[in-house]
Amino acid sequence: MSKKSSSVPEYFHVDFEPIGRRVENNAGKTLLAAAQTAGVQLVSLCGGVGSCNSCRVRLVSGELSTPTREEQDALGADDLAKGYRLACQAIPLTDVKIDIPPESLTAPQRLQIEGQETFIEPDPVVTAFDVQLAPPTLDDLRSDVARIRQVLDDLGIACPVIRLPVLEGLSGRLRAQSWTARLVLRGDEVIAGLPQDSDLLGLAVDVGTTKLAAYLVDLEKGNTLAKTGRMNPQISYGEDVVSRIAYTINNEEGRKLFQAKLVEAINDMLAELHNQTSTSSEQVVEAVVVGNTAMHHLFAGLPVRQLGEAPYVPAVADPMDIPASEIGLALAPGAYVHLPPNIAGYVGADHVAMLLATDVWDSARTVLALDIGTNTEISLATGGRLLSCSCASGPAFEGAHIHDGMRAAPGAIERVQIVDGEVRVHTIGSQPAVGICGSGILDAIAEMVAAGVIDSRGKLQKDNPLVREEDGVVEFLLMPAESAGHERDVIVTQKDVSEVQLAKGAIRAGIEILLEAAGVAHDAIEEFIVAGAFGTYLDIRSAVRVGMFPTLPVDRFRQVGNAAGTGARQMLISAERRQATAEIVRRVEYIELTTHPNFTNEFIKAMSF
Amino acid sequence: MSEDLLARITESIVGGEPESVVALTRKALESGLQPLEIINQGLVAGMNIAGERFTRGEFFLPHLLIAAKGMQGAMELLEPELGARQQVHEAVGTVVIGTVLGDIHEIGKSLVGTMLSANGFKVYDLGVDVPKEDFVARVKETGADLLGLSALLTTTMIGQREVIEAIVQAGIRDQVKVIVGGAPVSQAWADEIGADAYAANAMDAVEVARRVLM
Ligand code: B12
Ligand code: FES
């Protein structure tokens, strides 16, 4: 025990294994809270309310609070007896040692940074001028700024604005550079005074609910110099946006905390990008950040409560330019961060960026484009119209609410085949299987349907040799314990099938409603674009087989990777592309599914196989 | 002949053919069958079979939803007839049900409502995004024995507590039992906010409704 036993101790030590992280945890705080303070990325899909069973850990030594009702429900007597607990429920009563099973750890994971490169003529919102200033002398006592004004005036730029963060460094700079400089202007504002001939750089960031992707771009040449990714650090506070919104409602400091965590992670990525390219933060004179509406708001420090309650409206939908220095982003001191417009509460700037990058918005053809996440945004371009909707597909494809679900990390089953009654799987990194990720569960269900293991309504067929019944629970054995990476079988339960039905049903229903609203038949879809992390790795054939996507020739589908990131890069290097987003937002007809009379019908229909 | 029609209605409910349920119901009305007969011997019989199969693990959510859709469609035809003939459903209890303010999720709540009415409850479904004042007013007005509150969002669960507080304030807490449900809701949450019961799905909801009214 950490304190003399005369009084109640203030904290206990929590030792997280196998990663070997040890923290002091205030008495009365849960193991999940301990993990969060320690920066241990424990999965907590439900945001810590004890309903998702994703934060399972095992007590190795020490004493924890008695299991809560949630723990008894989620874990069952067997697992409890083995020492398994829910980190979000269990509170240390002594110093404890905790074992984190691989499936409960979020990192490391496959990050989503690959996107297509498209060539865009660079025309950035910033311009640079290499200048030579007259040094001050005893006869010329004008201020430094007056000198800058003078040279700019000669270049035809009158009355430039220079804000304080820029001024702070400028005088020293000019002297160190012998009165030469590369003045960077954004409109009539001087935002940096770099050494002459410096490359102008920009930063594009895609803030996903789960993952972050960052790109360092040469603003004048238009090419991407380096890219990197991270998990969204907010993840340990709740998996989906609504859980995070709930966190900010229940914890006053939550909004600040989420913003700080994001900024810290982006700065961290920036440092890595600079390292890779031997560049410096001074050179990064512009940034574009895209994300769904909730991430956008949390990044900008805006209130999100109204996004969590009907009618789910954004605080701001217009594009914004915020000074990087105001939110602590480590860019050039005068740099701005551009946040493109949002379409609706659940169709954000990331979708706008995706529509931009894929040219869906001004396509003369009939194109359907979607980005599958816990929230799936879908757009349909046809006959000059652009229709969009958002459907709540839920986190099943991120591995949540799936019995052996996990995110796309090493050891996750990502491909499944059933050949002549024999199950074959492939895992990420070819490691022993510890669970199933989104593309794996999709494949599994598709193969099970094809092999007659489940019927058209989703019922597991008990008489099938691959299906077993244990204590009244019907399940499909994907990988027996002997071959798996831990002591448990990897299985697909009846409930897993239902979860996938809800998710794919919601997505398909959204697609159908858009097609119906535009009066377009399935086979009129000339191109079907699938973006996003899960969309990159899923097997299109499986998606069609389970009925998540309509039946179309395979060559009409295009998997484009992180198109939101690509769109952000385009907006970084081209003012014209940036302007196009206004046009996109103006043209979008947003179809609200929540009140759509046909949603329920389509949803029920689409749940079958 | 009329027995035959009723049996076919039952079959169509169980078999998941909502369109034929409605068509057969219309036919049954035209052939002079009483709305109450159609409800009890046709629709409810079907829903009960579907419900039992669900409980036994033979039916799944899509089955139940499709069956409920048939029942809901038929009820739309029958309700006005019932009213016109001033016939009242002999009810085992009266339920006011709805999804709380800020939440638009309807499907689960409606399924619960349908199963309750198939099991002899008189159900007043207030729809979705329902303010607490409306719950209070309707409970008073209908003299309901049971109040069902649905919430599907982590952010709107709190609305269930607010409704319970409102009925306490209105002084009618001991006249009505409150059951709560929805994906993020749990027994522990029900306990915490002082609800009388929690149910995880529509069939459990029927069980629980019967139990709390005993
Ligand atoms: C269908 C659906 C929708 C439909 C709703 C259509 C409608 N008219 O109802 C649409 C697409 C419109 C929708 C919208 C939204 N949704 Co939605 N939706 C779902 C989905 C896929 C299925 C819900 C459902 O109908 N299930 C089937 C029914 C039968 O089950 P059920 O509702 O759980 O009900 C059963 C039990 O809970 C219980 N029960 C329910 N109520 C009651 C009441 C009582 C009294 C009792 C006793 C029992 C009981 O019995 C029911 C029957 O067995 C879920 C995901 C999921 N896997 O659950 C997300 C989900 C609920 N939605 C979610 C969200 C966030 C939204 C949005 C707010 C944002 C969005 N787009 O993602 C929006 C609204 C904003 C907008 N403008 O788009 C989230 C909630 C996350 C959270 N942490 O809270 C979920 C979990 C998906 C996710 N993770 O992203 N959604
Ligand atoms: S059960 Fe602990 S985070 Fe969900």
Side-chain angles (χ1 to χ4, degrees):
Chain A
M1 213 163 278
S2 317
K3 281 278 159 95
K4 294 270 158 55
S5 53
S6 58
S7 63
V8 182
E10 284 161 30
Y11 61 82
F12 298 108
H13 284 118
V14 179
D15 187 351
F16 287 109
E17 296 297 337
I19 43 179
R21 190 90 173 73
R22 200 172 147 87
V23 280
E24 289 172 7
N25 190 41
N26 287 343
K29 294 274 184 196
T30 63
L31 289 175
L32 182 62
Q36 284 166 348
T37 356
V40 173
Q41 304 216 320
L42 258 193
V43 192
S44 56
L45 304 181
C46 68
V49 299
S51 67
C52 72
N53 197 10
S54 67
C55 61
R56 281 164 61 100
V57 294
R58 197 172 54 84
L59 178 67
V60 180
S61 63
E63 211 180 311
L64 294 170
S65 52
T66 43
T68 61
R69 167 106 74 345
E70 278 87 343
E71 292 184 271
Q72 291 168 14
D73 287 353
L75 297 165
D78 273 7
D79 276 356
L80 277 173
K82 285 186 201 143
Y84 280 101
R85 301 293 300 267
L86 295 181
C88 68
Q89 303 292 313
I91 298 168
L93 302 177
T94 64
D95 291 352
V96 290
K97 186 180 218 169
I98 299 298
D99 179 50
I100 309 178
E103 65 272 20
S104 300
L105 259 188
T106 62
Q109 304 212 0
R110 197 182 246 175
L111 296 160
Q112 170 61 20
I113 54 175
E114 295 309 322
Q116 297 185 330
E117 287 277 352
T118 39
F119 184 76
I120 297 287
E121 192 65 52
D123 100 73
V125 297
V126 294
T127 40
F129 301 93
D130 288 318
V131 295
Q132 170 80 56
L133 305 178
T137 62
L138 283 173
D139 299 326
D140 178 1
L141 296 174
R142 285 173 307 156
S143 70
D144 295 346
V145 168
R147 273 162 228 286
I148 291 175
R149 244 193 226 125
Q150 169 82 59
V151 288
L152 288 176
D153 200 51
D154 293 347
L155 290 163
I157 300 156
C159 315
V161 178
I162 312 184
R163 286 184 306 120
L164 198 54
V166 181
L167 282 177
E168 275 173 14
L170 207 54
S171 297
R173 256 275 139 82
L174 290 174
R175 284 168 180 80
Q177 290 163 201
S178 325
W179 298 94
T180 67
R182 186 153 210 229
L183 292 180
V184 185
L185 274 98
R186 191 185 199 268
D188 62 358
E189 189 173 331
V190 177
I191 57 169
L194 301 174
Q196 279 196 340
D197 301 320
S198 309
D199 290 332
L200 295 190
L201 305 182
L203 174 75
V205 186
D206 173 29
V207 180
T209 311
T210 318
K211 294 167 188 171
L212 311 176
Y215 308 84
L216 192 64
V217 175
D218 184 317
L219 288 180
E220 289 161 308
K221 298 199 190 79
N223 59 318
T224 301
L225 303 173
K227 54 193 164 201
T228 186
R230 289 271 186 293
M231 292 307 290
N232 185 328
Q234 299 168 349
I235 205 139
S236 39
Y237 299 86
E239 187 79 353
D240 58 75
V241 297
V242 178
S243 304
R244 287 192 215 157
I245 294 169
Y247 185 88
T248 68
I249 295 174
N250 301 331
N251 300 272
E252 230 174 284
E253 79 297 355
R255 225 168 73 198
K256 280 238 135 46
L257 178 81
F258 284 171
Q259 187 187 34
K261 291 248 169 206
L262 265 185
V263 169
E264 190 188 315
I266 295 175
N267 283 340
D268 209 42
M269 288 194 289
L270 255 173
E272 187 188 322
L273 293 170
H274 287 315
N275 245 334
Q276 280 179 38
T277 53
S278 313
T279 52
S280 74
S281 60
E282 300 272 292
Q283 288 173 270
V284 186
V285 291
E286 179 79 12
V288 172
V289 175
V290 301
N292 61 48
T293 311
M295 290 306 119
H296 165 284
H297 280 36
L298 289 173
F299 174 77
L302 293 166
V304 288
R305 185 184 193 128
Q306 77 290 346
L307 286 175
E309 292 164 1
Y312 320 105
V313 290
V316 183
D318 304 314
M320 291 195 290
D321 288 298
I322 35 185
S325 55
E326 264 177 35
I327 52 173
L329 268 194
L331 311 182
Y336 281 84
V337 184
H338 176 73
L339 302 179
N342 293 309
I343 294 174
Y346 284 90
V347 186
D350 54 349
H351 193 62
V352 175
M354 182 266 225
L355 293 174
L356 182 77
T358 51
D359 280 321
V360 170
W361 66 290
D362 73 356
S363 174
R365 303 188 303 151
T366 295
V367 185
L368 197 135
L370 47 69
D371 188 338
I372 304 172
T374 51
N375 190 51
T376 298
E377 301 92 4
I378 315 173
S379 285
L380 173 69
T382 183
R385 290 175 72 188
L386 187 58
L387 299 90
S388 301
C389 72
S390 141
C391 52
S393 39
F397 294 127
E398 312 240 321
H401 301 297
I402 298 294
H403 188 275
D404 286 324
M406 63 184 283
R407 284 214 232 82
I413 296 176
E414 59 166 347
R415 284 277 165 273
V416 178
Q417 268 190 316
I418 302 177
V419 184
D420 299 330
E422 192 192 313
V423 185
R424 297 184 189 162
V425 304
H426 179 261
T427 63
I428 297 177
S430 300
Q431 303 215 358
V434 286
I436 323 168
C437 69
S439 60
I441 190 75
L442 184 71
D443 269 8
I445 303 287
E447 288 288 300
M448 286 159 76
V449 171
V453 179
I454 36 189
D455 73 4
S456 67
R457 293 270 157 83
K459 186 180 162 197
L460 275 171
Q461 302 303 103
K462 277 187 227 165
D463 50 6
N464 191 294
L466 297 169
V467 176
R468 66 182 189 196
E469 191 172 357
E470 256 173 39
D471 312 326
V473 181
V474 187
E475 57 197 31
F476 176 83
L477 182 63
L478 206 54
M479 170 79 31
E482 310 87 75
S483 345
H486 53 185
E487 333 81 271
R488 286 187 295 133
D489 295 337
V490 179
I491 56 172
V492 178
T493 65
Q494 182 65 59
K495 186 172 158 289
D496 295 346
V497 180
S498 301
E499 287 294 337
V500 170
Q501 285 179 286
L502 290 176
K504 69 112 183 173
I507 294 170
R508 181 62 181 271
I511 295 174
E512 292 301 318
I513 302 261
L514 284 190
L515 291 174
E516 187 190 295
V520 169
H522 290 160
D523 57 353
I525 303 174
E526 291 165 88
E527 192 177 18
F528 194 112
I529 296 177
V530 188
F534 170 58
T536 310
Y537 296 105
L538 67 77
D539 186 334
I540 293 289
R541 289 164 308 177
S542 295
V544 170
R545 239 185 306 159
V546 301
M548 181 161 83
F549 296 164
T551 311
L552 293 172
V554 187
D555 59 8
R556 292 203 199 162
F557 291 92
R558 186 152 70 94
Q559 289 166 283
V560 296
N562 188 350
T566 306
R569 282 184 279 166
Q570 294 185 355
M571 283 182 255
L572 194 55
I573 55 176
S574 159
E576 191 195 314
R577 296 300 276 179
R578 206 177 275 198
Q579 246 157 28
T581 60
E583 170 72 6
I584 295 178
V585 173
R586 197 182 56 74
R587 284 197 20 221
V588 163
E589 299 169 50
Y590 176 66
I591 310 276
E592 178 59 68
L593 294 183
T594 54
T595 49
H596 200 283
N598 244 348
F599 183 86
T600 306
N601 277 344
E602 292 293 349
F603 180 53
I604 294 173
K605 232 195 296 169
M607 270 203 281
S608 296
F609 294 108
Chain B
M1 168 61 200
S2 59
E3 268 87 86
D4 194 39
L5 258 182
L6 292 174
R8 278 169 63 202
I9 291 180
T10 306
E11 269 167 40
S12 309
I13 290 260
V14 180
E17 295 154 40
E19 288 85 10
S20 18
V21 174
V22 175
L24 288 167
T25 300
R26 186 171 291 121
K27 214 157 143 196
L29 272 175
E30 281 160 9
S31 75
L33 280 167
Q34 291 297 311
L36 273 182
E37 271 179 286
I38 304 176
I39 294 176
N40 291 329
Q41 288 158 49
L43 303 172
V44 167
M47 283 313 288
N48 284 335
I49 296 176
E52 277 161 27
R53 293 198 183 166
F54 182 84
T55 311
R56 282 206 304 268
E58 287 164 24
F59 261 25
F60 292 99
L61 194 56
H63 298 101
L64 212 52
L65 286 171
I66 295 170
K69 200 182 147 212
M71 165 116 185
Q72 286 153 6
M75 286 306 286
E76 271 169 38
L77 284 178
L78 295 171
E79 297 273 3
E81 296 293 328
L82 277 178
R85 294 170 211 208
Q86 303 210 310
Q87 288 178 334
V88 273
H89 227 118
E90 194 61 44
V92 297
T94 303
V95 190
V96 165
I97 193 169
T99 304
V100 298
L101 190 67
D103 201 326
I104 47 72
H105 290 89
E106 166 174 40
I107 300 166
K109 177 267 308 162
S110 299
L111 185 58
V112 172
T114 306
M115 287 318 297
L116 285 172
S117 74
N119 282 278
F121 288 84
K122 172 79 194 137
V123 176
Y124 294 92
D125 188 335
L126 309 192
V128 298
D129 196 10
V130 180
K132 56 182 186 234
E133 297 78 14
D134 291 14
F135 280 115
V136 173
R138 294 288 275 170
V139 167
K140 280 188 181 160
E141 191 184 308
T142 58
D145 324 284
L146 206 59
L147 173 60
L149 302 172
S150 181
L152 266 280
L153 297 176
T154 324
T155 42
T156 56
M157 280 163 72
I158 191 80
Q160 296 180 327
R161 168 182 275 153
E162 287 167 6
V163 175
I164 293 178
E165 283 165 4
I167 60 169
V168 170
Q169 251 174 21
I172 52 172
R173 180 66 186 91
D174 36 356
Q175 290 160 38
V176 64
K177 301 281 188 198
V178 181
I179 55 175
V180 292
V185 178
S186 64
Q187 181 64 52
W189 172 250
D191 295 344
E192 185 182 329
I193 62 173
D196 296 292
Y198 156 78
N201 61 51
M203 291 314 294
D204 288 358
V206 173
E207 277 299 310
V208 164
R210 288 211 184 99
R211 200 184 67 219
V212 295
L213 288 188
M214 272 201 326

